[in-house]
Amino acid sequence: MESGNPTENGDSASPQRTNVDKIRRHDLDALRAGAMLLGVCLHAMIAYSGIAWIVIDNQQNHIFKLVIELIHGFRMPLFFLISGFFTAMLACRQGSGSMLKNRAARILIPFVISVVIIIPLDKVVGLFALTANASHPQDPIFKAIQQGDSRQVLHLLEKGPKSLLEEPEKRMRFTPLNYAVLCESEPITKLLLERGANPMASNRNGYNSLYMAALLGREDLLKLLIENGGDPFLATGSSKSAWTAAQQPYDETRTIVFISKGKFPEDMTVLENGRQAVIEYLKRFSMDQYGTPIPPEQTSRPKPIQGLPSWVQWYFDWLSSDQIVVNIAGQKINLLQDASLDHLWFLWFLWWLCVIHYILDCLCRPIGPGATEKTNLIYPGLMVAFVLTCCMQAWMGLDYSTKVLNLPVGPDFSPGLIPKPHVFLYYAVFFFFGSWYFRLGDNDCFLGRHWRLALPIAMLVLFPLVSATKDERLLNILLQSLYTWLMVLGSIGLANRLFQRESKLFRYLADSSYWLYLIHIPPVLCMQWLFLFLPAPALVKFPLVFLITMLILLASYELLVRRTVIGRILNGKKK
């Protein structure tokens, strides 16, 4: 029986075409499992890459960042293409109505259960891991700043290289001055400023020292920074300034402080009173500088946004705003930007794509593969899909909200309760190409026959060019889209070469991969947390984290899932 995973075709039934029941793509089964397991690998690797994550280890290797970007550029497009293929197969075998019922059982129900159980577990484990990571700085100068040890800070600055004064820590990319203000240490702030620290230097989120002083309601530190060349009204590239920080909402203030230092502000009343004093001070400062108590607007959209049509600018302004915010259990949630669904956003996308597939099938009677293959249509179809991919890729990387950090290669992230339209449409291109591809009856994998050329060209030529043309937007869009499609087609061809026949091992991995991906975040975070202070390089830590996590996940599948009701929900009944 074909597995009931969300990318597969479910139980067989009366076929609409006589040859449909003969189709069994073991290669796509294995490839789907590989795409899921690559997600586990990425999340295990990201702590050692320098990319923002819940746990950021001090031991990092730039190779991991490149590997993550390389995989992110094609993994989920490949996953959605395979999903579309198996969705069309299921609709052809059982009918569109049965397909939707099957997808509700295999996608929607696990998704709802996961939102109630797994995501809260992710949040709890993430809370403890982040607290341990943020409250235990690993660089000596940051340890000394946290402890308020001015002598040790001075000793390190005198004995260390000159670059130490501005060298950021690995986690939030705070400079020593940023961190001294965050720790509210006036003596160390003075010391660093006297030695020439830049008050306008900001971290990975665009928080400079003036922003942090205003956010914490420390008028004294803010004055000190301004006296040493800081501008409280000059916004960073993320539109952050001391003026905006002083007016930051209550909940966001608590979140920023917690993420930055691993604990919430001790007394929000004192902090709020301090921020009122900061606002009054900034009004007086603005009056002296500009002749008005309200400073001139110095925030602006990022440069890539400014030259776009007004309706496109409106779209990204809307994405980056707080217009779609709801209050759930006393917590304000941005339905577009907050990572409410974490790593399970793909199930939400997949469910709605299946609903659209069902609607289209109702409007246009679904057609299965005919008696003969229609491989002559593959290249025209690929050209249409490539053009559509370029159109959607043009919208990537322009979302300037700081809620989610996007990678420079591949599609944007959209883990909110409401999918970002441009991201949803991007994945829809691959999903419906997969559905269309099923109808061609390409049992010999004509689609991936040039994999020996596609994979090396994509990885060795196009990927470096994508990284080198970040400032040439039009060329970058074309290269990214071509890279994604060559990797997708090459992966399909390679899988067909390796997995033409069913293997018990890969069938086991295919069945287990759904569960492994759903539940992998807590053990990954625990392992990253456990190895946080291990004095070993990143190239040692990552394999340990990944292998131990996989052993835990496979054991949990074998003992808790495979022969239980959970396994039946995820994979369907076994014959």
Side-chain angles (χ1 to χ4, degrees), residues 493-508:
L494 178 61
N496 182 259
R497 177 70 177 81
L498 297 176
F499 307 110
Q500 291 187 0
R501 294 194 177 118
E502 185 173 24
S503 159
K504 289 185 179 180
L505 172 61
F506 284 101
R507 166 51 50 196
Y508 184 88

PDB file of all heavy atoms in Angstrom, residues 493-508:
ATOM      1  N   GLY A 493      15.854  13.148 -10.741  1.00  0.00           N
ATOM      2  CA  GLY A 493      16.596  12.210 -11.584  1.00  0.00           C
ATOM      3  C   GLY A 493      17.515  11.309 -10.779  1.00  0.00           C
ATOM      4  O   GLY A 493      17.587  10.093 -11.023  1.00  0.00           O
ATOM      5  N   LEU A 494      18.215  11.874  -9.806  1.00  0.00           N
ATOM      6  CA  LEU A 494      19.113  11.074  -8.966  1.00  0.00           C
ATOM      7  C   LEU A 494      18.329  10.052  -8.152  1.00  0.00           C
ATOM      8  O   LEU A 494      18.739   8.886  -8.037  1.00  0.00           O
ATOM      9  CB  LEU A 494      19.902  11.998  -8.045  1.00  0.00           C
ATOM     10  CG  LEU A 494      20.855  11.310  -7.054  1.00  0.00           C
ATOM     11  CD1 LEU A 494      21.915  10.501  -7.796  1.00  0.00           C
ATOM     12  CD2 LEU A 494      21.509  12.347  -6.141  1.00  0.00           C
ATOM     13  N   ALA A 495      17.195  10.478  -7.598  1.00  0.00           N
ATOM     14  CA  ALA A 495      16.370   9.556  -6.817  1.00  0.00           C
ATOM     15  C   ALA A 495      15.850   8.417  -7.688  1.00  0.00           C
ATOM     16  O   ALA A 495      15.798   7.255  -7.260  1.00  0.00           O
ATOM     17  CB  ALA A 495      15.207  10.312  -6.179  1.00  0.00           C
ATOM     18  N   ASN A 496      15.480   8.731  -8.927  1.00  0.00           N
ATOM     19  CA  ASN A 496      15.000   7.691  -9.833  1.00  0.00           C
ATOM     20  C   ASN A 496      16.109   6.695 -10.164  1.00  0.00           C
ATOM     21  O   ASN A 496      15.860   5.496 -10.311  1.00  0.00           O
ATOM     22  CB  ASN A 496      14.459   8.332 -11.109  1.00  0.00           C
ATOM     23  CG  ASN A 496      13.892   7.310 -12.079  1.00  0.00           C
ATOM     24  OD1 ASN A 496      14.550   6.936 -13.046  1.00  0.00           O
ATOM     25  ND2 ASN A 496      12.682   6.857 -11.818  1.00  0.00           N
ATOM     26  N   ARG A 497      17.315   7.204 -10.238  1.00  0.00           N
ATOM     27  CA  ARG A 497      18.464   6.320 -10.522  1.00  0.00           C
ATOM     28  C   ARG A 497      18.747   5.401  -9.340  1.00  0.00           C
ATOM     29  O   ARG A 497      19.112   4.228  -9.526  1.00  0.00           O
ATOM     30  CB  ARG A 497      19.697   7.187 -10.822  1.00  0.00           C
ATOM     31  CG  ARG A 497      20.974   6.398 -11.057  1.00  0.00           C
ATOM     32  CD  ARG A 497      20.909   5.633 -12.381  1.00  0.00           C
ATOM     33  NE  ARG A 497      22.161   4.943 -12.645  1.00  0.00           N
ATOM     34  CZ  ARG A 497      22.508   3.774 -12.125  1.00  0.00           C
ATOM     35  NH1 ARG A 497      21.673   3.150 -11.307  1.00  0.00           N
ATOM     36  NH2 ARG A 497      23.663   3.210 -12.430  1.00  0.00           N
ATOM     37  N   LEU A 498      18.578   5.877  -8.125  1.00  0.00           N
ATOM     38  CA  LEU A 498      18.957   5.116  -6.934  1.00  0.00           C
ATOM     39  C   LEU A 498      17.836   4.270  -6.356  1.00  0.00           C
ATOM     40  O   LEU A 498      18.088   3.246  -5.717  1.00  0.00           O
ATOM     41  CB  LEU A 498      19.464   6.079  -5.851  1.00  0.00           C
ATOM     42  CG  LEU A 498      20.727   6.892  -6.179  1.00  0.00           C
ATOM     43  CD1 LEU A 498      21.046   7.852  -5.052  1.00  0.00           C
ATOM     44  CD2 LEU A 498      21.907   5.957  -6.447  1.00  0.00           C
ATOM     45  N   PHE A 499      16.580   4.705  -6.541  1.00  0.00           N
ATOM     46  CA  PHE A 499      15.466   4.068  -5.826  1.00  0.00           C
ATOM     47  C   PHE A 499      14.356   3.610  -6.783  1.00  0.00           C
ATOM     48  O   PHE A 499      13.191   3.889  -6.565  1.00  0.00           O
ATOM     49  CB  PHE A 499      14.876   5.034  -4.794  1.00  0.00           C
ATOM     50  CG  PHE A 499      15.889   5.608  -3.846  1.00  0.00           C
ATOM     51  CD1 PHE A 499      16.237   6.951  -3.918  1.00  0.00           C
ATOM     52  CD2 PHE A 499      16.510   4.810  -2.913  1.00  0.00           C
ATOM     53  CE1 PHE A 499      17.169   7.491  -3.055  1.00  0.00           C
ATOM     54  CE2 PHE A 499      17.448   5.343  -2.043  1.00  0.00           C
ATOM     55  CZ  PHE A 499      17.794   6.684  -2.114  1.00  0.00           C
ATOM     56  N   GLN A 500      14.728   2.882  -7.808  1.00  0.00           N
ATOM     57  CA  GLN A 500      13.719   2.407  -8.747  1.00  0.00           C
ATOM     58  C   GLN A 500      12.885   1.273  -8.159  1.00  0.00           C
ATOM     59  O   GLN A 500      11.733   1.085  -8.538  1.00  0.00           O
ATOM     60  CB  GLN A 500      14.379   1.947 -10.048  1.00  0.00           C
ATOM     61  CG  GLN A 500      14.962   3.094 -10.862  1.00  0.00           C
ATOM     62  CD  GLN A 500      15.462   2.647 -12.215  1.00  0.00           C
ATOM     63  OE1 GLN A 500      15.378   1.479 -12.571  1.00  0.00           O
ATOM     64  NE2 GLN A 500      15.987   3.596 -12.985  1.00  0.00           N
ATOM     65  N   ARG A 501      13.471   0.517  -7.239  1.00  0.00           N
ATOM     66  CA  ARG A 501      12.742  -0.569  -6.588  1.00  0.00           C
ATOM     67  C   ARG A 501      12.565  -0.252  -5.108  1.00  0.00           C
ATOM     68  O   ARG A 501      13.350   0.476  -4.518  1.00  0.00           O
ATOM     69  CB  ARG A 501      13.511  -1.884  -6.737  1.00  0.00           C
ATOM     70  CG  ARG A 501      13.597  -2.360  -8.175  1.00  0.00           C
ATOM     71  CD  ARG A 501      14.045  -3.802  -8.244  1.00  0.00           C
ATOM     72  NE  ARG A 501      14.054  -4.240  -9.634  1.00  0.00           N
ATOM     73  CZ  ARG A 501      15.130  -4.634 -10.282  1.00  0.00           C
ATOM     74  NH1 ARG A 501      16.302  -4.621  -9.674  1.00  0.00           N
ATOM     75  NH2 ARG A 501      15.061  -5.028 -11.531  1.00  0.00           N
ATOM     76  N   GLU A 502      11.539  -0.848  -4.541  1.00  0.00           N
ATOM     77  CA  GLU A 502      11.247  -0.596  -3.132  1.00  0.00           C
ATOM     78  C   GLU A 502      12.302  -1.254  -2.249  1.00  0.00           C
ATOM     79  O   GLU A 502      12.726  -2.378  -2.471  1.00  0.00           O
ATOM     80  CB  GLU A 502       9.866  -1.137  -2.754  1.00  0.00           C
ATOM     81  CG  GLU A 502       9.480  -0.793  -1.318  1.00  0.00           C
ATOM     82  CD  GLU A 502       8.054  -1.184  -0.996  1.00  0.00           C
ATOM     83  OE1 GLU A 502       7.522  -2.096  -1.659  1.00  0.00           O
ATOM     84  OE2 GLU A 502       7.464  -0.581  -0.086  1.00  0.00           O
ATOM     85  N   SER A 503      12.725  -0.489  -1.247  1.00  0.00           N
ATOM     86  CA  SER A 503      13.674  -0.987  -0.260  1.00  0.00           C
ATOM     87  C   SER A 503      13.007  -0.937   1.115  1.00  0.00           C
ATOM     88  O   SER A 503      12.340   0.043   1.444  1.00  0.00           O
ATOM     89  CB  SER A 503      14.938  -0.116  -0.264  1.00  0.00           C
ATOM     90  OG  SER A 503      15.653  -0.239   0.933  1.00  0.00           O
ATOM     91  N   LYS A 504      13.163  -2.007   1.896  1.00  0.00           N
ATOM     92  CA  LYS A 504      12.546  -2.034   3.224  1.00  0.00           C
ATOM     93  C   LYS A 504      13.074  -0.894   4.100  1.00  0.00           C
ATOM     94  O   LYS A 504      12.327  -0.277   4.861  1.00  0.00           O
ATOM     95  CB  LYS A 504      12.803  -3.377   3.893  1.00  0.00           C
ATOM     96  CG  LYS A 504      12.018  -4.520   3.272  1.00  0.00           C
ATOM     97  CD  LYS A 504      12.234  -5.810   4.058  1.00  0.00           C
ATOM     98  CE  LYS A 504      11.412  -6.943   3.441  1.00  0.00           C
ATOM     99  NZ  LYS A 504      11.593  -8.226   4.184  1.00  0.00           N
ATOM    100  N   LEU A 505      14.386  -0.628   3.962  1.00  0.00           N
ATOM    101  CA  LEU A 505      14.977   0.442   4.760  1.00  0.00           C
ATOM    102  C   LEU A 505      14.372   1.789   4.404  1.00  0.00           C
ATOM    103  O   LEU A 505      13.952   2.545   5.286  1.00  0.00           O
ATOM    104  CB  LEU A 505      16.496   0.471   4.544  1.00  0.00           C
ATOM    105  CG  LEU A 505      17.245   1.662   5.178  1.00  0.00           C
ATOM    106  CD1 LEU A 505      17.073   1.654   6.686  1.00  0.00           C
ATOM    107  CD2 LEU A 505      18.715   1.648   4.785  1.00  0.00           C
ATOM    108  N   PHE A 506      14.304   2.086   3.101  1.00  0.00           N
ATOM    109  CA  PHE A 506      13.789   3.393   2.703  1.00  0.00           C
ATOM    110  C   PHE A 506      12.271   3.481   2.854  1.00  0.00           C
ATOM    111  O   PHE A 506      11.727   4.561   3.027  1.00  0.00           O
ATOM    112  CB  PHE A 506      14.235   3.723   1.286  1.00  0.00           C
ATOM    113  CG  PHE A 506      15.676   4.133   1.213  1.00  0.00           C
ATOM    114  CD1 PHE A 506      16.643   3.237   0.795  1.00  0.00           C
ATOM    115  CD2 PHE A 506      16.070   5.400   1.616  1.00  0.00           C
ATOM    116  CE1 PHE A 506      17.979   3.605   0.766  1.00  0.00           C
ATOM    117  CE2 PHE A 506      17.402   5.783   1.577  1.00  0.00           C
ATOM    118  CZ  PHE A 506      18.360   4.888   1.150  1.00  0.00           C
ATOM    119  N   ARG A 507      11.574   2.331   2.790  1.00  0.00           N
ATOM    120  CA  ARG A 507      10.154   2.348   3.106  1.00  0.00           C
ATOM    121  C   ARG A 507       9.948   2.700   4.576  1.00  0.00           C
ATOM    122  O   ARG A 507       9.067   3.475   4.930  1.00  0.00           O
ATOM    123  CB  ARG A 507       9.545   0.987   2.766  1.00  0.00           C
ATOM    124  CG  ARG A 507       8.162   0.695   3.327  1.00  0.00           C
ATOM    125  CD  ARG A 507       7.150   1.771   3.064  1.00  0.00           C
ATOM    126  NE  ARG A 507       7.107   2.179   1.682  1.00  0.00           N
ATOM    127  CZ  ARG A 507       6.522   3.295   1.268  1.00  0.00           C
ATOM    128  NH1 ARG A 507       5.990   4.127   2.143  1.00  0.00           N
ATOM    129  NH2 ARG A 507       6.510   3.617   0.002  1.00  0.00           N
ATOM    130  N   TYR A 508      10.806   2.155   5.430  1.00  0.00           N
ATOM    131  CA  TYR A 508      10.727   2.456   6.862  1.00  0.00           C
ATOM    132  C   TYR A 508      10.995   3.943   7.098  1.00  0.00           C
ATOM    133  O   TYR A 508      10.274   4.606   7.860  1.00  0.00           O
ATOM    134  CB  TYR A 508      11.741   1.603   7.619  1.00  0.00           C
ATOM    135  CG  TYR A 508      11.688   1.765   9.120  1.00  0.00           C
ATOM    136  CD1 TYR A 508      10.838   0.983   9.896  1.00  0.00           C
ATOM    137  CD2 TYR A 508      12.496   2.689   9.770  1.00  0.00           C
ATOM    138  CE1 TYR A 508      10.794   1.119  11.278  1.00  0.00           C
ATOM    139  CE2 TYR A 508      12.462   2.846  11.145  1.00  0.00           C
ATOM    140  CZ  TYR A 508      11.610   2.052  11.887  1.00  0.00           C
ATOM    141  OH  TYR A 508      11.563   2.202  13.253  1.00  0.00           O
TER     142      TYR A 508
END
